Amino acid sequence: MLDKGKFKGAYQTNGKHWRIPQDAFITTNEQEAKAKEILGRVDLKNQGAGDVDEFDL
């Protein structure tokens, strides 16, 4: 997608790494941090539940 110009303002460095402008992302850094926090809590809760067999629900 980057090679095809799908991200306005994206460019490739001399080292061939892509740089994408922040405004090209759907979510903000704050939203990403909040999602990571929430998913971390869900993961901890799931770990506490132990193994679950989907056929024994």
Side-chain angles (χ1 to χ4, degrees):
M1 290 177 68
L2 291 163
D3 285 328
K4 293 181 179 182
K6 299 290 184 182
F7 292 92
K8 184 179 177 183
Y11 64 95
Q12 206 168 16
T13 67
N14 291 337
K16 302 296 181 190
H17 299 279
W18 282 98
R19 299 290 183 242
I20 304 169
Q22 187 67 37
D23 61 359
F25 290 92
I26 295 171
T27 58
T28 64
N29 288 339
E30 292 82 14
Q31 290 169 322
E32 290 290 332
K34 184 67 174 175
K36 186 175 181 178
E37 174 191 335
I38 292 168
L39 292 174
R41 286 189 304 210
V42 169
D43 189 40
L44 283 174
K45 188 172 182 178
N46 287 341
Q47 288 175 15
D51 292 334
V52 176
D53 185 342
E54 64 207 55
F55 297 106
D56 286 335
L57 295 177

